Amino acid sequence: MFGHPRPKPDARMLRQVAVKLKVCPSRCVLVEDTLQHQRAAKRIGMTQTVFANSAGLPAPGHTTTAKDMAILAAALIRDFPEYYAIYKERSYTYNKISQENRNRLLFADASVDGVKTGHTQSAGYNLIASAQRNGRRLLSVVMGTASRKARAAPASALSLLNSAANRSADDGGIDVPEPSACLPNNPSS
């Protein structure tokens, strides 16, 4: 997916960053950011994810599961609807440069409305897709495919969405904690 705008930092956030940079070197800041990511992941129920760095890039010990990625996507959709709308944009133009969304399912199925594609050498090509069908939110997670084309192939992500749509609402879903259980009162906790 193309880059998305970050929220504007408030004065408190800028002070926290300034203090971190003054008190410890950049490596220390990255360690603290990684720990914050780890705590946030646990709060929303991502029990099988370990962040080895704050960027989410491959590193020894950095692991996740398809279930945890579905939990993360569900939390994004539920807790940040104002940002989630960005993920269904089919293209984005900035400074006269256009970028098409890499989530090919947006172009193949009208019910698909996001979420994220990704690729690393060690993890392969990945796709988390979301769709709204018959008043239900459906998620599919495809990880470790060999190509961009394979991650969005009808035999993978779209068939998972179709399969989920054909199941009863109480059959095999993932429970995601309510926002009050996920979001800290203090952003630095």
Side-chain angles (χ1 to χ4, degrees):
M1 179 109 180
F2 41 78
H4 52 82
R6 294 181 180 206
K8 290 185 179 180
D10 61 15
R12 181 172 177 240
M13 185 188 303
L14 292 174
R15 281 192 303 276
Q16 287 175 339
V17 170
V19 168
K20 284 181 184 180
L21 291 174
K22 187 174 182 180
V23 171
C24 64
S26 61
R27 184 176 184 89
C28 189
V29 173
L30 292 177
V31 168
E32 177 59 27
D33 288 347
T34 302
L35 292 173
Q36 286 180 4
H37 282 50
Q38 193 66 42
R39 288 189 295 264
K42 297 297 181 218
R43 270 194 301 276
I44 65 171
M46 296 172 68
T47 60
Q48 301 300 308
T49 295
V50 176
F51 290 106
N53 58 61
S54 61
L57 295 174
H62 185 92
T63 60
T64 194
T65 63
K67 180 179 179 181
D68 277 4
M69 289 292 99
I71 289 169
L72 179 61
L76 167 71
I77 294 164
R78 181 197 61 229
D79 298 341
F80 301 99
E82 68 276 20
Y83 297 115
Y84 183 67
I86 295 168
Y87 293 92
K88 67 181 171 187
E89 295 296 326
R90 291 182 177 197
S91 65
Y92 175 75
T93 302
Y94 178 77
N95 202 20
K96 299 181 183 176
I97 299 171
S98 291
Q99 186 76 216
E100 225 178 51
N101 194 316
R102 289 178 181 85
N103 181 352
R104 304 315 301 163
L105 295 185
L106 289 169
F107 303 89
D109 186 308
S111 70
V112 174
D113 60 6
V115 172
K116 181 76 176 97
T117 63
H119 173 263
T120 63
Q121 192 70 25
S122 58
Y125 290 85
N126 307 291
L127 169 65
I128 305 169
S130 176
Q132 282 272 42
R133 294 189 187 166
N134 301 321
R136 292 176 60 204
R137 169 68 59 194
L138 306 172
L139 292 167
S140 73
V141 179
V142 175
M143 300 171 78
T145 65
S147 69
R148 289 179 186 172
K149 191 175 182 177
R151 75 176 162 206
S156 58
L158 199 51
S159 74
L160 286 172
L161 289 172
N162 292 335
S163 175
N166 293 328
R167 298 177 104 173
S168 66
D170 59 352
D171 182 23
I174 296 172
D175 291 325
V176 180
E178 289 302 311
S180 60
C182 300
L183 301 175
N185 293 331
N186 177 354
S188 64
S189 64

